[in-house]
Amino acid sequence: MKVSASSLAFAGCCALFGVAVYSGSGHGQEPVRPPPPANPIQLRSPSEFVGIASKQSRSVALFQEAGKVIQSPRCMNCHPRTDRPTQTDAMIPHQPLALRGPDGHGPIGGVHCKTCHGDANVDPAGVPGNPKWGLAPAIMAWQGKTLGQICRQIKDPKRNGGKSLTALITHFSEDDLVGWGWHPGGGRIPAPGTQKQMGAIIKAWVDTGAACPKS
């Protein structure tokens, strides 16, 4: 049987990840896998904040609610403080060694994200994937910062990829790589709530003035 170079590369990645690949041999049936885990942390609806009389205080509270997603490992792992991403809920350094590179997809002449990460999750191997898989630019690093610092960074077009507040709403509510956080596969705990809920919270935050927590 001829084995493709891409299959060999993927098998090598799986070995580096320390996982096994189901071969489809044997009885011809895939093993029974447990259902994906649920996140016990829930997101509140923007309507639950209308009782906060101060518009600024309501805006801050809304961003703090969004912080449940922003500060979850599903988001923070790809916004590292160094050029090396982190992984798992414990946010440990990425294994095998992976580095950001000039465009967030790996160093020139080194291992690129696409070497192991395809366009979709490969759950049997526990390898996540998305067509845009990669790291956020270094200027968008979130790890090690307070929620207030992240908020001010997200609002700043010089540090958010040139996005307006309106574009931020679209980014959080529609971007498919952001949406991966709610469908991470591989037994990973998804981000709290849903992407639709997150988009509604960000919109309500923008509509109330996009105020940031002090810390």
Side-chain angles (χ1 to χ4, degrees), residues 82-102:
T82 69
D83 282 338
R84 186 177 185 179
T86 54
Q87 60 186 174
T88 79
D89 290 338
M91 294 173 58
I92 61 174
H94 190 287
Q95 294 291 342
L97 177 65
L99 299 173
R100 188 191 313 274

Side-chain angles (χ1 to χ4, degrees), residues 6 9-10 12-14 16-17 77-78 80 83-87 94-120 122 127-137 177:
S6 60
F10 178 73
C13 288
C14 290
L16 287 171
F17 271 98
N77 279 336
C78 290
D83 282 338
R84 186 177 185 179
T86 54
Q87 60 186 174
H94 190 287
Q95 294 291 342
L97 177 65
L99 299 173
R100 188 191 313 274
D103 62 355
H105 297 284
I108 297 173
V111 176
H112 284 206
C113 298
K114 285 292 186 181
T115 302
C116 293
H117 299 279
D119 289 345
V122 181
V127 181
N130 180 275
K132 298 188 291 187
W133 196 265
L135 288 183
L177 183 54

Side-chain angles (χ1 to χ4, degrees), residues 7 59 63 110 149 163 170 174 180 182:
S7 296
S59 191
F63 193 83
Q149 289 172 329
K163 293 181 178 65
T170 302
E174 299 180 15
W180 174 90
W182 288 276

Side-chain angles (χ1 to χ4, degrees), residues 15-121:
L16 287 171
F17 271 98
V19 295
V21 178
Y22 175 67
S23 65
S25 59
H27 298 293
Q29 295 180 346
E30 292 193 17
V32 177
R33 298 185 182 88
N39 194 320
I41 301 173
Q42 299 297 312
L43 290 181
R44 292 183 288 168
S45 166
S47 63
E48 297 182 56
F49 295 84
V50 296
I52 302 176
S54 166
K55 187 176 180 180
Q56 180 174 358
S57 297
R58 185 161 69 252
S59 191
V60 168
L62 284 161
F63 193 83
Q64 288 172 329
E65 190 69 11
K68 294 178 180 178
V69 172
I70 291 168
Q71 293 184 305
S72 75
R74 299 291 77 79
C75 290
M76 297 293 273
N77 279 336
C78 290
H79 288 260
R81 72 174 80 188
T82 69
D83 282 338
R84 186 177 185 179
T86 54
Q87 60 186 174
T88 79
D89 290 338
M91 294 173 58
I92 61 174
H94 190 287
Q95 294 291 342
L97 177 65
L99 299 173
R100 188 191 313 274
D103 62 355
H105 297 284
I108 297 173
V111 176
H112 284 206
C113 298
K114 285 292 186 181
T115 302
C116 293
H117 299 279
D119 289 345
N121 297 333

